[in-house]
């Protein structure tokens, strides 16, 4: 009996994975693009070229060929187009290592629900990739653009957004889970980043070299606003800054302010916290309290920062500037875009459920007319390596001459 049990145990250890695939059977895809052409879905896959990648790392290949290969197919369904990619890829498109998913702008205007449904159902898709909309172009244009720093353009775009999301106020990284959740959530709509396609300005008679000259990097454009699954507008940089502040997507970034006419300063935040408090008496109202803590990093202003009194004065100047900026940006979104990107409705749903029952059926119109009060509190914790203003001392010396 012991021998039988031992034999069964050994057999279990020797069994392999029932659904395993060898690397040479898979087309590892870092970027996937989906466009719409008439009634057809057009799917573009940015697949890693293993020979070139291994050659670049080990120095065995010349590097004259691209480290990625583009495959494109079309069908009446997204899955059908992905399956057709095997005709040219000769391997199964493997999306478990996906970095970015890009939707063309025209497709996004029609609605990306069909694609999201496939991704939500398919177990091979992980959820740690970023989603973009190709502003003014197609997803294929974006995936075909060369980038200079990473083996895969998709990987570089991913890394660039991950970095800017931590350091640049208007940047917003959106994952597939957040996108799918906000397309069906109450009181909030999805906002995702965009990519701008720029053609190369390299002259055709430029000196040739072994490696192709990369096209300009893809800059992250304005944030795209969706109403459920359809693209309805774009946020400019100022509006995107306010959006990220309200949803608490800003931690360590720089905010400019005006202390006097044509005199600017910058405060680098070490902590930014926004608290939303919905109010409903005779009509709905949203109160937003923003607390910003940071250090002065630039000060082209007349104010000294040597005494606590002057620092408190500067805190008030920054607070007033940010209050006015955020208030104006919110009004612009209400008037020009007209959908609730900030999640004001979600706050009513969470904190004022009885009021939300009265408001939710006509929330889009209510949001456009909603009274919003912004209050900003600023705390300056330092002024860099100097207490005085170098620029003011420099101007004094110039005036003496």
């Amino acid at each position: 009996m012991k021998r039988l049990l031992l034999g069964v145990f050994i057999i279990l250890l020797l069994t392999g994975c029932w659904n395993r695939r060898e690397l040479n059977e898979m087309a590892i895809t870092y970027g996937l693009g989906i466009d719409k052409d008439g009634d057809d879905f057009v799917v573009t896959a940015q697949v890693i070229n293993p020979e070139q990648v291994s050659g670049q790392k080990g120095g065995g290949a010349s590097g004259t060929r691209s480290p990625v290969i583009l495959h494109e197919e079309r069908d009446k369904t997204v899955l059908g187009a992905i399956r057709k990619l095997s005709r040219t890829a000769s391997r199964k498109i493997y999306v478990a290592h996906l970095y970015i998913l890009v939707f063309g702008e025209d497709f996004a205007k029609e609605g990306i629900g069909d694609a999201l449904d496939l991704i939500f159902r398919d177990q091979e898709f992980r959820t740690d990739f970023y989603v973009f909309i190709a502003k003014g172009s197609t997803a294929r244009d974006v995936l075909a653009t060369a980038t200079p720093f990473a083996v895969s353009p998709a990987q570089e775009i991913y890394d660039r957004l991950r970095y800017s999301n931590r350091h640049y106020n208007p940047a917003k990284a959106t994952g597939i889970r957040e996108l799918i959740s906000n397309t069906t959530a109450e009181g909030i709509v999805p906002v995702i980043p965009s990519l701008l396609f720029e053609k190369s300005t390299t002259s055709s008679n430029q000196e040739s070299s072994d490696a192709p000259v990369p096209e300009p990097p893809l800059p992250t454009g304005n944030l795209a606003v969706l109403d459920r699954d359809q693209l309805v507008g774009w946020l400019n940089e100022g509006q995107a800054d306010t959006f990220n502040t309200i949803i608490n997507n800003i931690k360590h970034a720089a905010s400019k302010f005006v202390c006097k006419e044509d005199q600017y300063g910058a405060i680098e935040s070490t902590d930014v916290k926004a608290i939303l408090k919905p109010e409903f008496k005779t009509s709905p109202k949203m109160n937003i309290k923003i607390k910003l803590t940071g250090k002065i990093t630039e000060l082209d202003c007349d104010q000294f920062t040597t005494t606590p009194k002057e620092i408190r004065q500067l805190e008030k100047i920054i607070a007033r500037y940010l209050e006015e900026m955020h208030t104006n940006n919110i009004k612009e979104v209400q008037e020009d875009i007209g959908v609730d990107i900030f999640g004001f409705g979600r706050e009513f749903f969470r904190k004022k459920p009885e009021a939300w029952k009265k408001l939710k059926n006509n929330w889009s119109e209510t949001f456009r007319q909603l009274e919003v009060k912004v209050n900003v509190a600023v705390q300056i914790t330092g002024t860099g390596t100097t207490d005085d203003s170098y620029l003011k001392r420099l101007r004094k010396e110039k005036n003496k001459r």
Side-chain angles (χ1 to χ4, degrees):
M1 185 65 180
K2 290 183 178 179
R3 290 183 178 180
L4 178 61
L5 292 174
L6 179 61
V8 173
F9 180 71
I10 293 173
I11 290 173
L12 291 175
L13 290 178
L14 293 176
T15 56
C17 298
W18 67 270
N19 64 341
R20 69 179 177 86
R21 295 191 184 96
E22 299 294 339
L23 285 175
N24 60 4
E25 298 175 354
M26 298 184 296
I28 298 176
T29 304
Y30 277 10
L32 194 69
I34 305 177
D35 295 296
K36 198 76 179 290
D37 184 13
D39 294 331
D40 291 340
F41 292 98
V42 182
V43 175
T44 306
Q46 187 184 99
V47 176
I48 292 298
N49 184 346
E51 294 180 359
Q52 290 298 306
V53 172
S54 61
Q56 287 182 9
K57 289 182 178 179
S62 63
T64 57
R65 295 178 60 191
S66 172
V68 296
I69 304 169
L70 286 186
H71 297 283
E72 180 184 313
E73 283 292 350
R74 61 177 58 215
D75 194 79
K76 299 299 181 184
T77 65
V78 178
L79 181 60
I82 293 176
R83 291 289 182 259
K84 281 184 179 180
L85 289 169
S86 62
R87 299 191 304 184
T88 56
S90 72
R91 300 179 181 183
K92 177 177 172 54
I93 297 297
Y94 187 66
V95 294
H97 293 289
L98 199 67
Y99 279 95
I100 64 171
L101 172 65
V102 186
F103 298 116
E105 181 173 351
D106 290 340
F107 175 41
K109 288 179 179 178
E110 291 186 22
I112 59 176
D114 290 325
L116 295 180
D117 182 64
L118 166 68
I119 294 166
F120 185 71
R121 294 173 183 272
D122 197 323
Q123 61 183 2
E124 282 195 357
F125 281 92
R126 297 193 305 188
T127 58
D128 56 351
F129 57 88
Y130 292 152
V131 186
F132 297 87
I133 289 180
K135 186 176 182 183
S137 61
T138 64
R140 189 194 188 285
D141 288 336
V142 167
L143 293 180
T145 303
T147 46
F149 297 117
V151 170
S152 163
Q155 182 181 354
E156 182 172 332
I157 293 169
Y158 175 91
D159 291 340
R160 186 182 301 142
L161 179 60
R162 185 175 59 176
Y163 178 81
S164 63
N165 187 57
R166 297 194 299 263
H167 300 283
Y168 181 54
N169 288 6
K172 171 70 170 73
T174 301
I176 191 65
R177 279 186 177 177
E178 179 185 344
L179 174 58
I180 291 177
S181 174
N182 286 352
T183 55
T184 57
E186 287 193 84
I188 191 171
V189 299
V191 173
I192 61 178
S194 67
L195 291 169
L196 299 177
F197 168 68
E198 290 188 356
K199 292 185 178 180
S200 174
T201 56
T202 304
S203 174
S204 59
N205 58 6
Q206 185 174 348
E207 284 187 13
S208 60
S209 61
D210 291 338
V213 177
E215 295 186 2
L218 287 164
T220 300
N222 301 339
L223 296 185
V225 178
L226 280 66
D227 188 359
R228 298 307 173 191
D229 69 327
Q230 290 183 295
L231 175 66
V232 294
W234 301 92
L235 301 182
N236 60 38
E237 289 190 0
Q239 295 164 351
D241 188 335
T242 296
F243 164 74
N244 279 322
T245 301
I246 291 176
I247 68 168
N248 286 306
N249 191 48
I250 295 177
K251 298 301 179 185
H252 306 285
S255 299
K256 72 173 183 179
F257 58 89
V258 178
C259 41
K260 282 189 178 181
E261 187 177 357
D262 296 328
Q263 293 184 350
Y264 293 85
I267 181 170
E268 184 175 11
S269 58
T270 54
D271 184 57
V272 181
K273 180 67 176 178
I275 299 174
L276 278 61
K277 292 185 178 180
E279 180 182 323
F280 186 83
K281 294 179 180 178
T282 57
S283 61
K285 179 182 177 182
M286 180 58 65
N287 300 293
I288 304 173
K289 185 175 182 180
I290 301 170
K291 183 178 180 180
L292 186 152
T293 303
K295 300 177 181 179
I296 297 297
T297 56
E298 188 174 345
L299 195 62
D300 181 19
C301 306
D302 290 338
Q303 287 92 340
F304 286 100
T305 56
T306 54
T307 67
K309 180 179 179 181
E310 289 166 342
I311 290 177
R312 300 291 85 80
Q313 181 184 3
L314 191 58
E315 288 175 343
K316 293 178 181 178
I317 290 172
I318 298 172
R320 284 197 299 267
Y321 175 82
L322 293 177
E323 283 176 0
E324 183 178 355
M325 181 193 75
H326 291 314
T327 300
N328 291 337
N329 288 330
I330 292 170
K331 287 181 179 178
E332 289 175 0
V333 172
Q334 289 176 299
E335 295 171 359
D336 299 338
I337 299 178
V339 292
D340 186 2
I341 64 172
F342 306 108
F344 293 159
R346 184 172 59 182
E347 293 302 307
F348 276 99
F349 170 71
R350 291 173 174 175
K351 300 173 182 177
K352 299 286 184 181
E354 293 302 319
W356 177 246
K357 291 178 182 179
K358 302 176 183 178
L359 299 171
K360 65 178 183 178
N361 291 332
N362 196 32
W363 179 245
S364 293
E365 184 61 33
T366 302
F367 169 75
R368 295 185 182 97
Q369 307 297 327
L370 183 67
E371 181 184 355
V372 181
K373 176 67 175 177
V374 180
N375 178 265
V376 178
V378 175
Q379 181 181 5
I380 297 174
T381 57
T383 57
T385 59
T386 180
D387 292 330
D388 205 349
S389 170
Y390 161 75
L391 290 175
K392 184 165 185 178
R393 287 185 281 120
L394 180 63
R395 291 188 183 110
K396 281 184 176 179
E397 293 298 324
K398 286 183 177 180
N399 292 332
K400 291 178 181 178
R401 298 176 183 176

